[in-house]
Amino acid sequence: MNEIRVIQWGLGAMGSGMARLIQSKTGLKIVYAYDQDPQKIGQDLGEFLGGVKSGVRIQRPPQPGEMNLEKADLVILATSSFTKEVTPQIEIALKHSLNVISIAEEMAYPWAQEPELAMHIDGLAREYGVSVLGTGINPGFVLDTLILALTGTCLAVDKIKAARINDLSPFGPTVMQTQGVGVSAEAFEAGLQSGRIVGHVGFKESLYLLAKTLGWKLDKIEETRFPIISKVKRETAYVKVEPGQVAGCQHTAIGYVDGVPKIELIHPQQVLPHLEGIETGDYIDISGQPDIHLAIKPEIPGGLGTMAMAVNMIPQVLAARPGLLSMAELPVPAALMGDIRELLAWRKGE
């Protein structure tokens, strides 16, 4: 049985981790690698990732009509957080009859904010007979998929409240910029007004996915964002934060059904929170019949979790119906510890 051939598009902090994970799995093989960084282009992928030569050279991202990808099965996109920005890349892949997994947060449920683009992507995927999925640690798992799985044990659900207190340190420059990490409090407020700083990308997607799957119809969503000001110096591989600067964003979103707050998601995320004595964790409280309370301490690591979700969903996506899908429409994620080709055959019922 031939190996499943993967294209890794984007080799930043998350994309590089995904590529290493793919290389460690039986039955998966990276056949193309793309990145826009001139310093990466031309390098052997294996050597770039700190291993041995792979024979795959990192190339600049393709333009429409440039790719010759008949020998690939799936693209993993790790390039942006926003549906508008990844849609042209998804279009290229779909027109080569390639399945797509994207870690763009808005792609977790693009019907929430970009319904026209979602319809376009869905139609194109169906036309070419392939599947598209947006996933990650959050959105994609902690504040949506995991919650939905827990509600499966409920006779009824009255309200959901969930919080993810996490460490942003593993993530690269794109996430740092959207969170406002390393800027002044004044620049943070200006960034919120201009749209350059958005806080957590994916709250609307998680809220709409939860509501849609449970059968609720959201009236409105209220969001609040506040800067988390550091009292100490913090430094990661991607950003430096001096005392008095922004270390992260306190972001909350509430979804209303028939005028009643039904879903409350709380997400204070910052770099190196332990430096000020803050413990990370994931917390889910479901009020219903019965009540359910889940606490995971410390948090499920965001960087590792995102890498894992993207790679571990490969068999589910390859076995899925054509179209734009959400995590709620696919079998549960699971670590790929065996030969992925055998797991794919099992998913397909072969």
Side-chain angles (χ1 to χ4, degrees):
M1 188 185 300
N2 293 329
E3 292 174 302
I4 297 166
R5 299 153 300 187
V6 180
I7 297 168
Q8 180 62 51
W9 192 334
L11 290 164
M14 295 298 101
S16 295
M18 293 168 201
R20 292 188 187 94
L21 182 58
I22 291 169
Q23 288 185 330
S24 73
K25 298 298 182 180
T26 302
L28 296 181
K29 181 181 181 181
I30 297 178
V31 292
Y32 295 93
Y34 299 121
D35 197 272
Q36 62 182 358
D37 186 347
Q39 295 183 349
K40 299 174 185 176
I41 295 171
Q43 292 190 51
D44 180 90
L45 177 64
E47 291 182 328
F48 169 74
L49 296 174
V52 299
K53 282 189 175 182
S54 65
V56 176
R57 293 286 175 184
I58 300 172
Q59 304 175 42
R60 67 174 177 82
Q63 299 299 313
E66 288 187 346
M67 290 198 294
N68 179 24
L69 302 179
E70 290 79 6
K71 295 183 179 180
D73 300 301
L74 177 139
V75 177
I76 293 184
L77 279 177
T79 57
S80 172
S81 294
F82 307 103
T83 299
K84 286 183 179 179
E85 295 181 5
V86 299
T87 293
Q89 300 164 355
I90 293 173
E91 288 176 333
I92 291 173
L94 296 182
K95 290 177 181 179
H96 284 83
S97 298
L98 296 169
N99 298 276
V100 177
I101 294 176
S102 171
I103 62 166
E105 289 93 330
E106 287 187 352
M107 281 298 297
Y109 197 69
W111 305 97
Q113 298 193 76
E114 302 288 352
E116 292 185 0
L117 287 179
M119 189 176 300
H120 169 65
I121 293 170
D122 183 54
L124 201 59
R126 291 172 184 267
E127 178 182 349
Y128 285 91
V130 290
S131 305
V132 180
L133 174 70
T135 192
I137 191 66
N138 187 45
F141 187 71
V142 175
L143 295 185
D144 38 53
T145 304
L146 181 57
I147 295 173
L148 288 172
L150 291 173
T151 66
T153 65
C154 295
L155 303 180
V157 175
D158 297 320
K159 184 177 180 181
I160 295 168
K161 182 176 182 180
R164 175 165 168 80
I165 303 167
N166 73 313
D167 184 358
L168 282 176
S169 301
F171 292 92
T174 298
V175 172
M176 298 300 169
Q177 292 168 10
T178 61
Q179 296 294 319
V181 178
V183 306
S184 67
E186 293 76 16
F188 182 93
E189 294 301 326
L192 287 180
Q193 295 300 317
S194 69
R196 186 178 63 86
I197 295 173
V198 297
H200 171 60
V201 180
F203 261 152
K204 285 187 173 69
E205 287 69 26
S206 291
L207 285 167
Y208 274 100
L209 181 57
L210 286 168
K212 175 69 174 180
T213 309
L214 292 173
W216 288 340
K217 293 185 178 180
L218 293 178
D219 302 331
K220 64 176 181 177
I221 293 174
E222 292 181 346
E223 297 184 71
T224 57
R225 301 174 182 86
F226 299 101
I228 299 173
I229 306 300
S230 183
K231 298 177 182 178
V232 299
K233 182 176 181 178
R234 313 186 193 192
E235 183 173 351
T236 76
Y238 304 100
V239 69
K240 293 182 180 179
V241 178
E242 299 293 338
Q245 290 184 324
V246 175
C249 179
Q250 168 85 24
H251 193 167
T252 299
I254 301 175
Y256 289 78
V257 177
D258 295 330
V260 178
K262 286 286 192 177
I263 308 171
E264 181 178 2
L265 303 180
I266 305 163
H267 199 7
Q269 47 184 341
Q270 58 187 298
V271 295
L272 304 172
H274 70 277
L275 293 180
E276 293 196 31
I278 297 171
E279 295 183 356
T280 65
D282 298 309
Y283 307 92
I284 298 172
D285 295 295
I286 300 170
S287 300
Q289 187 180 356
D291 292 343
I292 295 177
H293 305 284
L294 176 71
I296 301 173
K297 298 177 62 176
E299 60 158 326
I300 301 173
L304 296 178
T306 297
M307 298 170 199
M309 287 294 294
V311 175
N312 288 334
M313 289 303 295
I314 289 176
Q316 287 91 322
V317 169
L318 293 179
R321 65 162 177 83
L324 173 59
L325 305 169
S326 70
M327 287 295 295
E329 298 168 80
L330 293 176
V332 295
L336 304 178
M337 303 308 298
D339 190 321
I340 284 75
R341 293 166 293 189
E342 295 178 0
L343 294 170
L344 175 58
W346 175 61
R347 291 287 183 191
K348 290 182 174 180
E350 297 175 352

